[in-house]
Every structure is written in structure tokens, then in C-alpha cells.
Amino acid sequence: MSVNTTPEPAVLVLEDGRIFRGRAYGAGGTTLGEAVFTTGMTGYQETLTDPSYARQLIVQTTPHIGNTGINVEDNESDRIWAAGYVVRDAARRPSNWRSEGSLDDELIRQGIVGIQGVDTRAITRHLRERGAMKAGIFSGDDAAATDAELVARVAEQESMEGSQLAEEVSAKTAYTVEPADYGWQGEPRFTIAAIDLGIKSTTPERLAERGLRVHVIPATSSFEDITALNPDGVFISNGPGDPATATDQVATLRRVLDARIPYFGICFGNQILGRALGFGTYKLRYGHRGINQPVMDLSTGKVEITSQNHGFAVDAPRGGAFQAPEQKYGRVEVSHVSLNDDVVEGLHCLDLPAFSVQYHPEAAAGPHDSAYLFDRFFDLMAANGAHSTNSKEEN
């Protein structure tokens, strides 16, 4: 993988043979992945460092990218996880009081191959019509191959369906996020075991701000690993890949539900709850990605503007309470739906202390309409006999 000192020719090649020509952006060379688009107008740094974008080529629908530069505070993980980056107008230089460098330089430093100067509106319309698909970015000498050769190389890569990626992006060792580090005064109120399938750093921070001690544990953690922490609640994060491959996490969550430990899941954690309850999951045509996705809370009738990043969804019926396919888990209802396409955006167990949403209430970047869900998790633990960490230590 080479480094570009001047913009070289570059091409974005889609699986169905559509080709877009532009100039290199970031590192030069070749990268392969699934082409997806995100509709957020801000937060490109949080997007790039979101582990849920692993093995994906991000197409930014907002034309001007890089104008505020990058800084260490806005990263959602310790690296860029996106496989490639597609923008229309890359900023020539950043201009922001928080900027510590340019996005172009950061892409080069981390070896992220990108392309600029392409019609991202046309690319987005194509993906909306044909669906997210395999793609590749080729720049410099790599772009000199024939169109047929490039399309063939793109088609040879693995599909996102059937991909097991959470273990690749998860933390390898456990760590703890303390409430005192995020403004909480006094003893922690509860202790959480958070299974990291690609967690964004803001998520445990939002929990810690509410007085919750968060033990972040790897994706491969067992039920015994969870109970060893004596948690008041269990949380499963967002993450990349096909939820049909998360058989270990589904089995672990079923043991959590059997033990009636309060549970909250977001994004991948919503899909895992769905599969634990016996529902199927399926791949969306082009997914939901961006910070302006409208969702209705069916319990209140309120509409939330949400931050989302997912390509799979839970297949569950709408229209009130019904028996879970895994009948021992009792009644469940779809709690939230997308107002764009009626996709299931949340599940609520009526006979178990468990709920989940398909979107990102930590909203980094994004609106804060859904922040109440963290408080709902606290209330769920309090209502189900959880005790404060201080009380447990005294006992």
C-alpha cells in the first residue's frame, strides 16, 4: 500500500459493473468491502472510527468532507475501522479551533484507501436502487487494470452476509469505565457487564455519567465471565457483521434471560435479543446509516430522530404483544419502528426485564432524542431488585 503525495487517478468499482472515476484520497492502492452510504451531515470522524463500519466502503452523501479536520477527542475507538472512504469534495485544508490535523493525513497514516471527486449523489442513488453491494477502490498503478479485471476482483471477495466480524473488532481484554471519571460524584449506583461487539467509546461514558460502573468485556465472554462480575445488568453493544453468525452471543444472552438479569441491547444487541427470543434476522437492501433517521416509540407515540448504522434487522410482527417463538420467554412486543420503511427498531419483553433498540442512543455524532433509554435501563435494574454497588460491597 503506497502513500499519495499528489492525487492520482482512482476508481470506485461496484459489483454490478458500475464504475466511478475520481482521484485518490488518503492512502493509495486497493481496498475491498461493501459499499454503503451514510446520510449524516456531521460527525465524519465518529463515523470512520465506529467499529460497526468494519469491512465497508463508506460513501458520504454530504459533499464537503474534512473541513473541520480531526482530533483525538472525537474518536469512537482506537483506529479507523472503515475499509475505504468515498467523498465528493475533500477539504484542501481544515479550519476549526479543535482541529489537530487533516483528515487526508490521518487516512494516509492509517493506510485507509479512499477516492475523491466522484458524484456521491449518483453513487447513493445507485445503491438505493440496487442495494448495498461488494465494491473496491483502486488508485495509482492498481487502477490501470481493465474494467473487467477490476470487476472480477471485486466480485471475488466475501459477502457481508455470513460474515462474523464482531470478534475482530472487540476489545481483547476487559476494562472498566468508572463513573467518577465522567462527572459522577459519590459511589456507583449499579454495575454493568457490557459485551463489546464493536462498542463505541461514548456508550460506556453515557452509562458512567449516570453513576453506573461499566465492565467492558470481550465478544467471546461466557455467561460465567459475566456472573463473575456480579452485575446488576447486562448490556450488548453495536457491532459489524451478520447476526446469524453470533450463535455464541445468542446462547450467552439466553442464559442471561433465564437468570432474569436485566438486559439492554443496542444495534447488534437488538438483533441478538431478537434471535435469542426465536426471531429471524435479514439483510436490508441498503441499510440505515446516518444521524437523521426517524423512529416512532410505539408506547408514547413520540418520534425520535436517531443515529443509526446497521445493515441487518429483526423479523418480528408489529401490532401489539405476542408470544415469543421461544415460548419460555413469554410475551414480547415491537417497541419502536422506522418511519422510513417500517423496519423493527426496538423490542420490549413483557415477562422478562429486557429491552433493546436498533439505533444508537449515545448519538456520537447525532441528536440526543434517545438518551432517555440509558435512564430506562437504570429504572429497569432498580425495579428488578438490583442493589447499589455500595450496598453489595457492604453485604
Side-chain angles (χ1 to χ4, degrees):
M1 185 176 292
S2 60
V3 173
N4 290 305
T5 55
T6 58
E8 300 176 308
V11 292
L12 170 67
V13 179
L14 302 182
E15 177 184 5
D16 64 358
R18 188 74 186 269
I19 295 178
F20 296 86
R21 302 187 185 279
R23 303 183 307 280
Y25 185 47
T30 294
T31 189
L32 301 173
E34 180 185 48
V36 299
F37 63 87
T38 178
T39 57
M41 296 182 67
T42 61
Y44 58 78
Q45 184 174 338
E46 292 91 336
T47 295
L48 284 166
T49 55
D50 179 353
S52 293
Y53 278 112
R55 206 189 292 174
Q56 291 182 320
L57 310 183
I58 301 174
V59 180
Q60 290 278 180
T61 58
T62 297
H64 196 204
I65 296 295
N67 53 309
T68 58
I70 57 98
N71 63 75
V72 296
E73 295 180 359
D74 290 346
N75 288 334
E76 287 299 317
S77 65
D78 59 1
R79 53 167 285 191
I80 293 175
W81 283 101
Y85 206 34
V86 183
V87 305
R88 177 176 171 178
D89 298 322
R92 289 178 293 176
R93 61 178 64 87
S95 179
N96 184 272
W97 67 275
R98 298 177 68 235
S99 177
E100 298 171 0
S102 75
L103 176 57
D104 188 19
D105 287 343
E106 187 64 17
L107 293 171
I108 292 172
R109 188 182 73 81
Q110 297 198 36
I112 306 301
V113 176
I115 185 172
Q116 61 177 308
V118 290
D119 188 344
T120 50
R121 183 178 181 182
I123 298 168
T124 299
R125 293 186 65 175
H126 188 77
L127 295 176
R128 278 183 58 89
E129 293 171 1
R130 305 292 181 89
M133 65 182 72
K134 298 175 183 177
I137 301 173
F138 306 87
S139 61
D141 293 340
D142 292 1
T146 67
D147 292 353
E149 290 171 335
L150 296 177
V151 171
R153 186 166 181 187
V154 165
E156 290 171 354
Q157 68 180 289
E158 294 182 14
S159 172
M160 188 59 69
E161 285 189 272
S163 292
Q164 185 172 354
L165 301 176
E167 288 78 0
E168 295 181 16
V169 304
S170 175
K172 305 310 177 189
T173 58
Y175 61 94
T176 302
V177 179
E178 294 287 354
D181 294 333
Y182 292 94
W184 183 258
Q185 296 181 354
E187 293 296 321
R189 301 162 83 184
F190 294 125
T191 294
I192 306 300
I195 302 178
D196 174 10
L197 304 186
I199 199 168
K200 296 168 68 177
S201 62
T202 306
T203 302
E205 293 173 8
R206 293 288 180 265
L207 291 164
E209 289 169 354
R210 289 162 169 80
L212 305 180
R213 173 177 287 151
V214 185
H215 295 292
V216 182
I217 57 179
T220 54
S221 298
S222 66
F223 180 70
E224 289 73 22
D225 294 328
I226 293 171
T227 55
L229 298 170
N230 193 24
D232 298 297
V234 173
F235 174 86
I236 295 184
S237 78
N238 60 290
D242 187 341
T245 66
T247 54
D248 291 345
Q249 289 81 13
V250 168
T252 297
L253 179 55
R254 283 177 171 163
R255 295 188 66 183
V256 169
L257 299 178
D258 292 340
R260 300 189 66 85
I261 302 173
Y263 171 75
F264 176 33
I266 67 170
C267 201
F268 211 155
N270 177 66
Q271 296 158 11
I272 288 174
L273 177 59
R275 295 189 72 87
L277 296 173
F279 299 112
T281 50
Y282 63 98
K283 194 173 190 302
L284 295 169
R285 185 171 181 79
Y286 47 81
H288 298 164
R289 297 175 179 88
I291 58 176
N292 49 7
Q293 303 284 330
V295 168
M296 178 176 283
D297 183 339
L298 297 179
S299 66
T300 63
K302 292 182 178 180
V303 176
E304 306 165 29
I305 303 303
T306 67
S307 174
Q308 300 197 19
N309 175 15
H310 65 107
F312 293 84
V314 175
D315 186 9
R318 293 70 157 168
F322 50 89
Q323 190 72 21
E326 289 287 333
Q327 296 193 2
K328 67 177 180 177
Y329 296 127
R331 297 166 300 148
V332 64
E333 63 183 2
V334 171
S335 58
H336 298 73
V337 295
S338 168
L339 294 182
N340 283 336
D341 53 15
D342 204 36
V343 164
V344 172
E345 295 282 357
L347 297 170
H348 178 211
C349 294
L350 302 180
D351 300 317
L352 291 172
F355 74 102
S356 59
V357 293
Q358 186 57 66
Y359 47 96
H360 290 246
E362 85 289 333
H368 296 164
D369 297 20
S370 307
Y372 71 92
L373 290 164
F374 294 116
D375 299 311
R376 182 176 290 181
F377 187 32
F378 174 87
D379 293 341
L380 182 66
M381 290 184 288
N384 280 271
H387 302 289
S388 71
T389 300
N390 192 39
S391 296
K392 287 193 294 184
E393 289 173 351
E394 290 176 353
N395 293 333

